[in-house]
Amino acid sequence: FGPGAQLLSGGGWIKANGTAEQPIIFTSASNTPAVGDWNRIALDNPNDEVSFAQIQYGATCLDLNQSIAVSHVEIKNCIKGLFLRTTFEGTVETSKISNNTHGIYLGGNASPTIRHNQIKDNSYGIYIESSLTPSIINNDILDNGNGIAISFTNGFIVENNIVGNTAFGIKNLNFNIIV
């Protein structure tokens, strides 16, 4: 992708399904890639699919606004690695999210299930600005500046391995959450 580039599902849909041996790679076109080189991949059709992909060097690498499944995806070197917004009620699982400012950022009324992921070396592993009822289950949330920051939400954070985060493991900035 070149500067400012976006991939939008819009009126159609995107099926980006690689394999473990041959993942689909979305990255910067620059010879010297840097965080934020391109804009985003925005999926807002419930028929969109992403699995076995590597997404790197975007501003918002993967921006989701529908209930789709994301699995076996590696997201790294982005400002927002994975942005789950307003109507997202899908699943993010078995993925690696690393070296981003925000590994996973939840906003609006998103109610995702986030399970069996490695979320590592981000400034914020998971940042929940506002969300209805996220379920964060069985993840490794490791070596981030901040593990999980929670504000304006109800939800469940259970059976996660939250270790080595510099500032805090879990910080409840407001509301009701079961940890």
Side-chain angles (χ1 to χ4, degrees):
F1 290 110
Q6 302 186 85
L7 178 60
L8 310 171
S9 59
W13 63 86
I14 295 171
K15 295 198 183 294
N17 298 315
T19 66
E21 296 78 27
Q22 293 183 315
I24 295 172
I25 299 172
F26 298 96
T27 192
S28 170
S30 174
N31 290 330
T32 55
V35 171
D37 273 356
W38 53 279
N39 191 351
R40 66 188 175 140
I41 298 171
L43 306 180
D44 60 5
N45 184 315
N47 295 314
D48 292 332
E49 297 177 5
V50 180
S51 65
F52 294 102
Q54 296 175 8
I55 307 170
Q56 53 197 6
Y57 298 111
T60 299
C61 275
L62 193 54
D63 183 340
L64 304 175
N65 198 27
Q66 282 294 334
S67 299
I68 67 170
V70 174
S71 68
H72 299 90
V73 175
E74 184 176 349
I75 299 172
K76 62 184 179 179
N77 300 314
C78 306
I79 297 169
K80 287 182 183 167
L82 186 57
F83 186 17
L84 309 178
R85 63 171 74 224
T86 310
T87 60
F88 186 83
E89 294 181 0
T91 302
V92 176
E93 62 186 344
T94 322
S95 293
K96 292 182 180 180
I97 301 159
S98 63
N99 296 311
N100 305 290
T101 302
H102 293 93
I104 300 176
Y105 189 101
L106 279 67
N109 293 322
S111 295
T113 298
I114 300 170
R115 63 180 175 217
H116 306 292
N117 300 290
Q118 182 186 75
I119 303 164
K120 184 175 180 177
D121 295 322
N122 303 285
S123 295
Y124 284 88
I126 300 174
Y127 188 91
I128 306 171
E129 180 180 23
S130 61
S131 186
L132 289 179
T133 54
S135 296
I136 301 170
I137 306 164
N138 288 327
N139 298 285
D140 289 327
I141 302 169
L142 312 169
D143 303 324
N144 299 286
N146 306 282
I148 303 174
I150 305 161
S151 178
F152 303 107
T153 192
N154 293 299
F156 300 94
I157 300 173
V158 295
E159 298 180 5
N160 295 283
N161 182 25
I162 303 172
V163 178
N165 299 288
T166 308
F168 55 80
I170 300 175
K171 186 172 185 178
N172 187 349
L173 304 172
N174 289 333
F175 290 78
N176 303 318
I177 193 123
I178 298 172
V179 179

